[in-house]
Amino acid sequence: MRHKSILATSAIVVGIVAFTACSKLLPSMIDPSEGLCGPVSMSSAQTILFSAGNNEFFRVRSSSSGLGPYFVASGCGNCHSSDNRGHPFTILTRFGQSDTTGNKFLAEGAPQLGTFCLPGYTPEAVPPGATSTQFIAPITAGVGFLEAVPDSEILNMAAANLNNPDGVRGHPNYDTIPSWATPLNGAIPRGDGKYIHRFGRKADVYNLLEQTVNAYSRDMGITSTYLPNNPSNYLDPTPSVTPSVPEVDNTTLNSTVFYVTCLQTPVQRNPNDPTVLAGNQVFVQIGCETCHKQTLTTGYSPIAALANQTFNPFTDLLVHDMGPGLDDHYTEGTAQTSEWRTTPLWGLGLAPNVQGGNTYLLHDGRAHSIEQAIELHGGEAAVSEGRFEKLSTTDRNALLTFLKSL
Amino acid sequence: MMIRTLIAVVAAVLFGCLSAQAQIDSSLLKTPEKKDTIPHSLNMDAIYNRPFLQLGKTPVSIGGYMESNWQYVKTSGITVGNQFQFRRFSLFVASTITKHIKFLSEIEYENDPTGDPGDAGGGSFEVEYAALDIEFHPLINLRGGMIVNPIGAFNQNHDGPKWEFTDRPIAMTQMLPDTWSNTGFGLYGKEYKNHWMFGYEFYLTGGFNDSIIDNTQGKTFLPAAKSSVNRFTESASGEPLYTGKLSVRHDKIGELGLSYMGGVYNTWQIEGAQVDYKRRLSVYDVDFNTTLPTHTNIITEWAWIFVHLPPNYTQEYSSRQFGGFIDVVQPVYRGRILDWNNASINLAVRGEYVDWNVGTFSSTGTRMYNDLWSIMPAISFRPTPQTVLRFNYRHERARDITGDFIGATIGTTAGFSLGLSTYF
């Protein structure tokens, strides 16, 4: 009897000791190169605001806190897990605009489909005759830096492509800003009063305030003072009720905007590894960098840590014709249906962490590997893609190692 | 992974020690010393099987327990610092009205930030239990009032002083609701023969509502129904929630419980008009506890939840969930310590796993995660069986639905707690 008790005791003790020995007792901070959670350096007051925004970003809404009646997901963080690329299970559908003359299906709830609805409502459907596409969430880390890039720099990048021998062109997506948005610092409007837009897959969102207001309204069915009406569904005879008080108040909304604005840029891993460096050279040589611009500089920003910073997003914020393969016959603003904003490549290597160990790239996640994403490049990127096809195995592997280090 | 293997190994070693030799007091760790006179008891008896004080010559007896602790926990390197928590204070009043008619009530102040987030925040007093029992025959007793649904063992047998851990099992608080009580009535009974004991319970009660698939957790979450204020007077679905449990106990083998809880949970008709489909929920639960000849006490419970969702509902909410825990408690010393004659020191470990989204994504066919596992070694000191001072270390890993480990609320959580709990 006695020996059995000793046996059991020692099993527990061994268990505890082995366990203690093989893991640190308290977990350490997330290394910025492993995940994308941290803010840029900021004052205490800013930290408090950032933290409030962080809570709101990862807050989950229910019908009693304003969700729906039509929605795609119930919180920002459900689509932008770890502030990186999204998982296809929160994919959203846009429909109704097939050329630059605007969306013809606004009465049917365009541009965005409320994929899901609260119990008791009728789900939305893409109306007959409307073209549509699908978007998975892009990376949100570092968007504050993108917002602080002055229009002049975007225009310079577009101008530099004028006689590009590879056939790369690219232009900003000009559109009318919402009445409640104020022009960004150094904004350069076009003669017709339209401004350069830069966020979203089609670069048809002006700034992070508009992006956040739209996300609340279209992705979650949360009303704000800017967009006070819940969308209605043309298929549902019951009109959706517009709440008398906005479901997100301005203070909360501003903290969410502040949160995304101040997210740190993704940190490259092993930047000085020889293969990574070699891959970076290949990236430039075969013309990827013509669109995926490695280095941009911010202008003025009221947030000191964002002002006059050089950073590495790998985008030019322009829209490019990517050929018929990526033409979903849907568009926004003054972009053509085959035109897409150059996707920032930062955070690429960390994306599998939030995509269940798999890879889902391009606007709708159709590419299941980095190679496949490149192979689907056509149009203005066809020449560059052709060079990628002809790379030696060494160069190809170096390029992929480089991309995964981002 | 390693840690999970470790839980399995430790459990296997301990199960290996099981033999059919003389049984020692299985109730030492789970039931207090002072209890009413039931010689054999099942989890279903826990509610009466507590230390009570008789009030003079009146038929009324009272009792209660409290739980309080210190905690220091970090999630992904971030901590809220030292936390001092007064989690529960519970008062029971029982009275024998006449022979074969008993009444028991329990009023609880609860403020457990690690418990089920469906509870009203900030602490609240609630009637947890208030029921009348009429015994017609040991096999036929009628119970009515506000009763604790006999789903699993933990829901019925959750008093703080009985456990070596300051935190309640996660699956039994954040997947199944803990202290899940409802208005209703039903029958129960017990029978014993030689070393065997058999018990059943069957109740009809009020139940869940739509909040289990529409809540601020963003996942199917049965405890969300607890925050409904009118659930004690109004059933959201207008249909009963059925709860049934069968238990068998053999003095030398242990106690096995099989339970089921299910019914329509949504408001499918308003003013007589059908507004929605009837959607059902079913919970299956297996619990087992035993004391090995080594005095090692093993308690385990696992539950499976199935919920009908509206057609094409967001997969943030899952139709299947699974989770449970295993506790292994080994007394290492029993006897006199200082001035206490019946003191004990115990080593214990708890392994837990919960998966809130069982299944695959319809869009990709890949696995949904949103799961968590935890291991919690503990050491406890009981100056008497009714009072426990316990020190725990927890190591937990949680992933979100996409499998992401890195984030502010997911990732690794670890920390220490020192807790105090006692019957009085």
Side-chain angles (χ1 to χ4, degrees):
Chain A
M1 187 59 61
R2 186 95 203 122
H3 68 274
K4 279 186 183 151
S5 148
I6 292 170
L7 186 72
T9 310
S10 32
I12 295 181
V13 172
V14 168
I16 295 172
V17 170
F19 164 74
T20 315
C22 73
S23 64
K24 284 180 246 147
L25 283 182
L26 290 175
S28 47
M29 290 293 276
I30 299 165
D31 182 339
S33 65
E34 282 171 26
L36 319 165
C37 300
V40 296
S41 62
M42 48 174 62
S43 68
S44 316
Q46 288 174 325
T47 304
I48 292 167
L49 189 56
F50 180 86
S51 163
N54 181 48
N55 290 342
E56 175 63 17
F57 192 85
F58 289 101
R59 172 177 173 196
V60 174
R61 298 274 186 159
S62 67
S63 61
S64 49
S65 44
L67 182 72
Y70 305 102
F71 62 98
V72 186
S74 49
C76 312
N78 292 28
C79 297
H80 298 286
S81 174
S82 273
D83 309 303
N84 204 333
R85 289 157 180 76
H87 187 284
F89 97 98
T90 56
I91 204 161
L92 55 80
T93 303
R94 298 265 173 89
F95 65 92
Q97 183 172 348
S98 51
D99 56 35
T100 56
T101 61
N103 200 309
K104 305 290 178 327
F105 289 87
L106 296 175
E108 284 80 16
Q112 194 164 309
L113 189 75
T115 316
F116 304 113
C117 59
L118 294 174
Y121 286 85
T122 311
E124 288 191 342
V126 175
T131 58
S132 68
T133 185
Q134 291 195 303
F135 296 165
I136 60 166
I139 181 168
T140 44
V143 286
F145 289 82
L146 296 176
E147 189 179 49
V149 172
D151 279 6
S152 55
E153 187 165 348
I154 298 177
L155 289 170
N156 286 342
M157 288 188 283
N161 289 342
L162 196 57
N163 294 313
N164 181 286
D166 289 356
V168 173
R169 295 293 175 265
H171 63 90
N173 190 353
Y174 279 98
D175 206 344
T176 313
I177 60 172
S179 57
W180 38 264
T182 34
L184 294 168
N185 259 292
I188 305 173
R190 206 163 67 171
D192 59 0
K194 291 186 170 172
Y195 283 84
I196 296 176
H197 286 40
R198 62 183 77 193
F199 292 109
R201 298 287 181 182
K202 292 280 184 186
D204 191 43
V205 179
Y206 186 63
N207 58 8
L208 294 173
L209 174 67
E210 186 187 6
Q211 179 68 55
T212 305
V213 169
N214 284 351
Y216 273 116
S217 167
R218 296 171 179 172
D219 301 352
M220 293 150 65
I222 304 284
T223 60
S224 58
T225 52
Y226 302 105
L227 295 178
N229 296 316
N230 267 325
S232 57
N233 178 1
Y234 74 106
L235 294 172
D236 204 333
T238 21
S240 64
V241 196
T242 291
S244 52
V245 182
E247 290 157 342
V248 57
D249 62 59
N250 282 352
T251 314
T252 311
L253 191 134
N254 289 338
S255 72
T256 314
V257 175
F258 189 78
Y259 168 78
V260 285
T261 307
C262 294
L263 284 172
Q264 186 53 274
T265 59
V267 176
Q268 189 184 4
R269 292 157 311 288
N270 313 318
N272 300 318
D273 176 280
T275 318
V276 168
L277 290 170
N280 196 348
Q281 261 180 357
V282 176
F283 184 79
V284 177
Q285 277 159 12
I286 65 173
C288 310
E289 212 263 344
T290 321
C291 300
H292 295 283
K293 284 278 188 292
Q294 181 150 352
T295 308
L296 299 183
T297 311
T298 61
Y300 168 81
S301 168
I303 300 157
L306 297 177
N308 308 312
Q309 300 291 315
T310 298
F311 65 109
N312 306 119
F314 300 93
T315 178
D316 55 6
L317 299 172
L318 302 174
V319 292
H320 296 271
D321 177 355
M322 296 299 283
L326 289 173
D327 186 347
D328 289 350
H329 308 291
Y330 167 82
T331 195
E332 294 171 359
T334 51
Q336 301 295 325
T337 53
S338 63
E339 288 179 330
W340 298 96
R341 184 191 70 171
T342 309
T343 309
L345 297 182
W346 56 12
L348 189 61
L350 296 173
N353 290 351
V354 288
Q355 299 185 326
N358 303 308
T359 300
Y360 303 98
L361 298 175
L362 299 179
H363 60 276
D364 55 2
R366 69 176 76 174
H368 299 298
S369 65
I370 295 180
E371 294 94 311
Q372 210 183 347
I374 302 169
E375 281 153 17
L376 288 167
H377 280 51
E380 296 173 29
V383 173
S384 173
E385 196 280 322
R387 292 196 196 106
F388 170 76
E389 296 295 332
K390 295 200 191 71
L391 285 179
S392 69
T393 320
T394 325
D395 284 350
R396 190 186 172 103
N397 289 343
L399 177 68
L400 294 172
T401 309
F402 163 70
L403 290 170
K404 286 178 187 158
S405 78
L406 296 179
Chain B
M1 200 62 227
M2 227 201 110
I3 306 293
R4 251 184 282 174
T5 323
L6 199 74
I7 301 177
V9 169
V10 171
V13 166
L14 294 168
F15 270 115
C17 305
L18 181 74
S19 77
Q21 291 175 24
Q23 166 81 11
I24 9 85
D25 179 13
S26 70
S27 57
L28 177 89
L29 295 157
K30 283 187 62 209
T31 46
E33 183 187 43
K34 274 199 280 170
K35 53 187 181 188
D36 70 11
T37 51
I38 307 170
H40 307 272
S41 70
L42 295 167
N43 275 310
M44 64 187 276
D45 302 313
I47 215 116
Y48 274 104
N49 216 354
R50 295 156 148 172
F52 280 102
L53 292 172
Q54 198 72 32
L55 288 185
K57 288 208 162 62
T58 65
V60 177
S61 38
I62 65 160
Y65 72 90
M66 70 79 110
E67 265 183 287
S68 184
N69 68 290
W70 161 86
Q71 199 166 56
Y72 186 86
V73 180
K74 273 187 170 182
T75 297
S76 297
I78 297 164
T79 179
V80 284
N82 288 286
Q83 298 296 316
F84 299 88
Q85 303 165 333
F86 188 81
R87 290 193 177 172
R88 272 174 210 94
F89 170 79
S90 188
L91 201 63
F92 346 117
V93 179
S95 82
T96 305
I97 295 168
T98 92
K99 210 175 173 202
H100 304 303
I101 301 186
K102 289 192 284 189
F103 176 80
L104 174 76
S105 63
E106 176 172 354
I107 292 173
E108 185 169 81
Y109 165 84
E110 178 162 42
N111 189 1
D112 184 351
T114 64
D116 111 39
D119 281 341
S124 58
F125 274 98
E126 264 166 32
V127 178
E128 180 182 310
Y129 186 93
L132 186 70
D133 285 23
I134 305 176
E135 180 181 336
F136 298 102
H137 176 275
L139 263 178
I140 304 171
N141 297 262
L142 179 73
R143 174 174 287 174
M146 191 182 300
I147 63 180
V148 174
N149 298 61
I151 182 73
F154 188 85
N155 197 40
Q156 290 180 310
N157 201 357
H158 57 255
D159 291 1
K162 293 187 176 176
W163 303 83
E164 316 309 304
F165 306 92
T166 50
D167 291 343
R168 294 180 165 188
I170 298 168
M172 273 65 235
T173 52
Q174 298 184 38
M175 185 182 82
L176 285 179
D178 68 332
T179 57
W180 172 239
S181 52
N182 284 289
T183 315
F185 63 90
L187 298 173
Y188 70 88
K190 278 197 306 188
E191 168 93 340
Y192 32 100
K193 203 161 199 181
N194 305 329
H195 292 296
W196 289 95
M197 189 162 170
F198 162 80
Y200 79 91
E201 289 168 274
F202 180 74
Y203 301 107
L204 304 181
T205 64
F208 294 93
N209 56 45
D210 278 301
S211 69
I212 67 172
I213 58 151
D214 172 20
N215 56 60
T216 54
Q217 294 283 310
K219 61 189 177 210
T220 300
F221 194 63
L222 270 47
K226 286 176 75 179
S227 52
S228 160
V229 280
N230 52 7
R231 82 187 158 91
F232 295 114
T233 51
E234 205 177 298
S235 162
S237 67
E239 308 219 352
L241 177 71
Y242 301 92
T243 314
K245 180 164 185 183
L246 296 177
S247 319
V248 260
R249 173 171 200 102
H250 183 277
D251 281 347
K252 294 180 182 160
I253 303 172
E255 174 181 350
L256 176 71
L258 298 175
S259 46
Y260 167 81
M261 172 167 77
V264 174
Y265 66 89
N266 64 318
T267 305
W268 57 275
Q269 62 174 359
I270 295 176
E271 316 230 323
Q274 178 153 358
V275 294
D276 203 345
Y277 304 96
K278 286 189 188 182
R279 281 179 268 118
R280 298 184 60 83
L281 134 156
S282 310
V283 181
Y284 300 89
D285 190 297
V286 180
D287 64 81
F288 177 73
N289 69 77
T290 188
T291 304
L292 307 182
T294 53
H295 299 210
T296 315
N297 187 224
I298 295 172
I299 305 170
T300 182
E301 176 174 346
W302 297 87
W304 291 259
I305 296 176
F306 299 86
V307 177
H308 282 169
L309 300 172
N312 301 323
Y313 203 51
T314 165
Q315 285 201 294
E316 293 164 346
Y317 292 91
S318 175
S319 59
R320 280 189 290 153
Q321 302 185 315
F322 164 69
F325 72 98
I326 176 166
D327 282 4
V328 179
V329 181
Q330 177 65 53
V332 288
Y333 177 82
R334 269 199 228 165
R336 194 182 164 87
I337 298 180
L338 301 175
D339 220 8
W340 296 288
N341 290 326
N342 197 5
S344 67
I345 292 177
N346 308 283
L347 287 181
V349 62
R350 169 177 292 169
E352 313 186 59
Y353 180 75
V354 192
D355 188 346
W356 283 277
N357 287 59
V358 176
T360 54
F361 288 114
S362 54
S363 54
T364 59
T366 53
R367 188 183 156 187
M368 298 190 280
Y369 294 91
N370 201 3
D371 60 349
L372 166 158
W373 60 262
S374 152
I375 183 160
M376 185 154 54
I379 180 159
S380 70
F381 168 57
R382 289 178 180 270
T384 94
Q386 286 155 259
T387 302
V388 59
L389 183 66
R390 52 204 172 189
F391 183 68
N392 303 165
Y393 171 74
R394 182 196 278 284
H395 187 93
E396 175 187 301
R397 289 269 273 167
R399 292 184 277 202
D400 75 6
I401 189 167
T402 68
D404 186 10
F405 269 119
I406 299 162
T409 52
I410 47 180
T412 306
T413 297
F416 299 94
S417 63
L418 180 67
L420 199 66
S421 186
T422 186
Y423 282 109
F424 54 83

